[in-house]
Amino acid sequence: MLAPTTPPPSTRRAIARTIRADALVKGLRTLWPPLCLLAFVGAAGSLTEGLPAALVSAGAGLTWLITAYLFWRGWQLFHPMSEHEAGRALEEAAGLHELRPLTGGEDRRISGDDALWSWHQRRLIEAAAALSTPVKPKLDWQDAAKALALVAAMGLCGLNPMATARGLTFDLSPLMGDSDLVVEVWAEPPSYTGLPLIRLDRSQSNIALPVGSKVTARVDGARGAPVLRGPSRTTRLEPAQGAAWQGQIEITRSGTLKLDRLGTRAQWHIEATPDQKPQLALPKPIQIDPKGRLDIAFQASDDYGLAAAFVRIRPVKVPEGLAGHSVFDTPIPLEGAAGENGARRVFVEVADHALTGLQVEAQIVVRDGLGQETASDVTKLTMPEQNWQSSLAAALQEVRLMILREARPYQRTLPRFATLFEPLDVVGTASDSLNLGPIKLDLTDPQPGAPPGIAKATGHLRAIAETMVQFGLSDLGQLSLHYALERLSIARDVSDAHSVAPLLWQMALQIEASNQTPAQQKVAQAREALKQALEQGAPPDQIQQLTQELREAVGERLQELAQQGASGEGGEQGQSGPQISAGDLEDRLRELEESGSSGSREDALAQLDQLDELLENLQPGAPGASGQANGQGQGGPLDDAMQQQRALSDQTEQLGETPPSDQSRRSAEDLANQQEGLADALGGSRQSDPAQEQSAEEQNKRQAAEAMREAAQALREGDLNRAQDAQSRALQALRQAAESSPQGQAGNDGETDPLGRALPKQDDGKATKVPDGVEKRRARDVRDELRRRQADPQRDKNERDYIDRLLQDR
């Protein structure tokens, strides 16, 4: 009982807070035994997996009985603090247990002065006003241990809510006739992901599945049908083999997945991960390489891998026959290993494309397994054309393009069995039709209803067939041509007509290959074997062996060209084109072998293409061929001069790498004498009048001699940089002298194709420039230095990435 005097509000709030704190502590101490029992039993719920349902239910019932008893016993022992007890606690905490300002209600006035009693009452009121701080209950280490045990048990329950629920709930399924339930749930991701089956364990609570995954549930031992509830669909399991139930749903979004049978038997939270669109980037636009292929560099990636990649090509000006069918997708191989960040570089052959020779818009498109596509920006280019040496092959290609560029449908379909009958060529027959029962077949039109492009191609192919004997076509070639003509004539629709195009392409390639000599065929076979080995990452010893085989084949080809030039088989066209020596070919082969053996696959393939260009420019009697054989023939002196100048340039470069000494000065003097002797042998006189009218060849030879003498003077003065610059100018002048010689002016006037049209003049290849020794050595030095810096891990990543892009663009 408090004193008759009412305490101030602050004191009453302190009393209330003291009572609440005491009630909280006593309540937790009372509830700790039952709560701790439930938490520990729930945490041990995973141990009930596989136990009989009746035993689990009995354990859950016993647990709840003990919990109820502990709750009842705790309630009986719970005694909350009264206001009087709270006031006494405040007085004791403030040291006023003798004055008792809150519980001093027993004090009574017995006698004495009124003033003394009033003073005593005021002192009680002032002391009570000072009691505004609540008293906290006393806690010991046992309370802390109990709290930690309870928190730990509840944490274990939270790790596996399903196991906790299973250990604390009654299973009514035995009462409904169910035996012990065996639950199996698994998810099958979409096939394009390449992921294996995912088993859903009841100990797991969160599962990530790709969108489109199919979840299958199988339950054994149930008398009734369980229900599988997904985030977007619910299905009742159907009877399966034996006493099992089985059902399947598709995951389309995130949510809860539950399996119910007289209660929740399993439950998961499904995180549905959508398939992202492929990522695509082009470091550089689509280009055409010297071999007429599409040079494509791109970076592409997808979360589950790319399913396909292709070049999508559209003509800028759509041919009439392709209206509405002008999009062509050319596949890009994805088998090769991708580099860092999915970087790839591929070369796509398009020589047989239907749009060859036309200006087109091209873009790279990548597609994932779900069918999502990502396209790059459009690049405008002109599709490369095959450079046919055989006019018959070129004519077959023209017919083939007529067929492929016609997509309009046939106007009238030819009956399938009508092609089995052919009209008899009877003299005097005036009828132009054939009656086949109820069918009347018009014989005046060999292709009923064929679109214009197909009809025109048939006429051209028939004209070629009539003149093919004049071009020396073999019996097998003539038979193939007649077969193609027959198939085109009886085509019933556009797809039938287009099936003739591959046959014509193979015929054109075979005719073109038949014009090659055995040495050319051996070079082609050796080159193809080396190319395949480089693309497949063959070991260095195999690369060296194949390079040696290519070197031997090239040697045979050079000897063959030399013999043709000596016998005059090459004609005047053998003197056109750039000056190419056997040394140039050997240098390129050596570089190719070094790159292939060191693992620089892209460099080796690029050098192989450059070697092809050199070989294609070789003609009978060309300097490269004659230099290999005997060094004679037309163009021989200039070729010898260029070889000697290259050797002097290489020696000058080596001299610059040695420290200055008496020996180096003597070597420079010897080089100067040789350089001056070469200038005198070239014939450019020091006293010749520059204003005197001379041919272009003579002017270039005079300029070469002047540059050689300047190089000799620089060597004597020790200025090696000026000497090398003058030697480079001398080489350039020698090339120009060879190109301006009158031997390379012949063309191919007067030639016609199988249709009687004049053939265009062939490119003489004069624009091709072969690097000299100095330029090649400098290029190799720069390349080696770039590779060294790119492999240095101490350098900045941005710098190494930039160098990597430079090496890829070579």
Side-chain angles (χ1 to χ4, degrees), residues 448-781:
I454 304 298
K456 183 178 180 182
T458 305
H460 280 64
L461 194 59
R462 184 173 288 108
I464 294 175
E466 293 174 355
T467 59
M468 60 184 175
V469 180
Q470 303 175 8
F471 291 90
L473 195 61
S474 64
D475 294 341
L476 181 60
Q478 296 181 33
L479 181 62
S480 299
L481 188 58
H482 279 297
Y483 175 69
L485 178 59
E486 184 66 19
R487 285 188 56 182
L488 187 61
S489 300
I490 65 175
R492 301 180 182 91
D493 52 34
V494 174
S495 61
D496 287 346
H498 285 183
S499 65
V500 181
L503 177 60
L504 296 178
W505 176 255
Q506 292 299 324
M507 290 178 59
L509 292 180
Q510 292 173 4
I511 293 173
E512 187 75 7
S514 64
N515 295 330
Q516 293 182 345
T517 63
Q520 286 177 307
Q521 295 177 3
K522 188 173 182 179
V523 169
Q525 294 173 359
R527 181 219 179 259
E528 186 63 25
L530 180 57
K531 178 184 177 183
Q532 293 180 1
L534 290 171
E535 291 177 344
Q536 296 172 2
D541 54 349
Q542 183 180 355
I543 297 297
Q544 294 176 358
Q545 178 183 355
L546 294 176
T547 306
Q548 180 60 31
E549 294 177 2
L550 179 60
R551 182 181 285 108
E552 295 173 357
V554 170
E556 294 182 10
R557 173 59 177 161
L558 292 177
Q559 293 179 2
E560 181 182 67
L561 289 174
Q563 295 173 0
Q564 293 177 2
S567 61
E569 296 178 11
E572 294 183 354
Q573 63 177 346
Q575 307 306 322
S576 63
Q579 301 295 319
I580 302 173
S581 68
D584 295 326
L585 297 173
E586 178 59 31
D587 288 344
R588 193 53 50 88
L589 284 168
R590 189 181 301 110
E591 293 175 1
L592 172 60
E593 185 175 13
E594 292 175 358
S595 300
S597 301
S598 63
S600 301
R601 184 176 65 91
E602 293 186 359
D603 291 344
L605 290 173
Q607 290 160 358
L608 186 60
D609 291 339
Q610 295 171 5
L611 178 65
D612 288 344
E613 295 180 24
L614 295 181
L615 293 174
E616 289 175 359
N617 287 325
L618 286 176
Q619 299 292 339
S626 60
Q628 175 72 13
N630 53 14
Q632 302 299 324
Q634 297 177 352
L638 284 177
D639 181 52
D640 293 342
M642 283 190 286
Q643 292 185 20
Q644 296 178 33
Q645 184 58 61
R646 291 191 186 99
L648 291 174
S649 300
D650 293 343
Q651 295 176 26
T652 303
E653 184 179 7
Q654 295 174 1
L655 183 62
E657 298 174 355
T658 59
S661 62
D662 294 340
Q663 179 64 32
S664 64
R665 283 190 289 272
R666 286 194 295 271
S667 299
E669 182 65 28
D670 292 341
L671 287 176
N673 293 335
Q674 296 178 35
Q675 187 70 85
E676 200 165 46
L678 181 59
D680 294 338
L682 194 60
S685 175
R686 292 186 177 89
Q687 289 78 22
S688 61
D689 185 6
Q692 183 179 358
E693 183 176 357
Q694 295 178 334
S695 64
E697 180 183 3
E698 292 297 329
Q699 291 178 2
N700 290 322
K701 291 170 64 176
R702 179 175 58 80
Q703 293 175 2
E706 292 175 356
M708 293 176 184
R709 294 189 179 97
E710 181 183 348
Q713 182 65 26
L715 286 169
R716 292 190 176 95
E717 296 174 356
D719 191 350
L720 298 183
N721 291 331
R722 186 162 65 91
Q724 290 178 341
D725 180 68
Q727 289 172 338
S728 297
R729 286 188 280 110
L731 270 174
Q732 181 64 24
L734 287 174
R735 291 193 196 94
Q736 294 175 356
E739 294 172 0
S740 58
S741 61
Q743 287 85 0
Q745 305 301 323
N748 57 349
D749 298 337
E751 296 185 10
T752 60
D753 67 0
L755 300 179
R757 297 168 298 187
L759 290 173
K761 293 185 177 181
Q762 298 181 356
D763 182 14
D764 60 5
K766 289 185 178 181
T768 304
K769 177 182 177 182
V770 180
D772 54 48
V774 176
E775 294 172 337
K776 288 185 287 188
R777 287 180 180 273
R778 289 176 180 171
R780 286 197 296 269
D781 292 342

Side-chain angles (χ1 to χ4, degrees), residues 66-313:
I66 297 175
T67 301
Y69 168 75
L70 294 175
F71 270 113
W72 175 81
R73 183 173 176 276
W75 177 257
Q76 295 297 320
L77 298 177
F78 180 73
H79 298 289
M81 179 183 285
S82 64
E83 288 188 0
H84 182 78
E85 291 172 340
R88 289 295 298 270
L90 289 176
E91 291 172 349
E92 291 178 1
L96 300 176
H97 55 281
E98 293 181 357
L99 182 60
R100 296 181 299 162
L102 297 178
T103 60
E106 301 89 20
D107 294 345
R108 296 290 185 269
R109 178 180 178 182
I110 300 175
S111 64
D113 188 3
D114 292 339
L116 180 61
W117 177 251
S118 299
W119 172 82
H120 177 68
Q121 291 292 322
R122 285 194 303 272
R123 190 175 63 160
L124 291 178
I125 294 173
E126 291 174 359
L131 300 177
S132 60
T133 302
V135 178
K136 296 181 180 178
K138 293 182 179 180
L139 302 174
D140 53 20
W141 65 270
Q142 294 179 353
D143 294 323
K146 292 177 181 179
L148 288 176
L150 180 60
V151 171
M154 295 181 67
L156 292 175
C157 293
L159 293 177
N160 194 346
M162 286 301 301
T164 301
R166 187 166 55 251
L168 295 175
T169 56
F170 296 99
D171 189 355
L172 301 178
S173 59
L175 301 178
M176 304 299 295
D178 293 350
S179 59
D180 293 334
L181 299 183
V182 179
V183 176
E184 291 183 288
V185 183
W186 65 90
E188 181 181 359
S191 59
Y192 68 83
T193 63
L195 298 177
L197 291 177
I198 301 174
R199 183 172 296 277
L200 277 64
D201 192 343
R202 285 193 282 183
S203 62
Q204 299 172 299
S205 57
N206 297 306
I207 302 291
L209 296 176
V211 172
S213 298
K214 298 184 182 301
V215 176
T216 304
R218 180 184 177 90
V219 179
D220 290 297
R223 288 287 299 273
V227 178
L228 184 61
R229 306 181 189 277
S232 57
R233 182 169 176 262
T234 298
T235 184
R236 186 175 296 274
L237 274 59
E238 301 290 338
Q241 186 177 5
W245 300 81
Q246 185 167 317
Q248 187 180 79
I249 62 173
E250 183 176 352
I251 300 299
T252 58
R253 59 185 177 89
S254 301
T256 302
L257 176 68
K258 294 196 302 182
L259 180 64
D260 293 340
R261 169 59 183 164
L262 299 176
T264 301
R265 300 295 172 174
Q267 179 175 324
W268 301 271
H269 176 74
I270 302 299
E271 183 67 30
T273 57
D275 185 11
Q276 304 295 326
K277 292 186 64 175
Q279 302 295 318
L280 175 63
L282 265 63
K284 62 178 183 179
I286 302 174
Q287 299 176 350
I288 299 176
D289 77 336
K291 299 294 293 180
R293 303 170 299 182
L294 297 184
D295 183 356
I296 301 172
F298 67 100
Q299 294 178 344
S301 61
D302 186 67
D303 43 6
Y304 296 114
L306 298 174
F310 44 89
V311 188
R312 180 161 291 168
I313 304 175

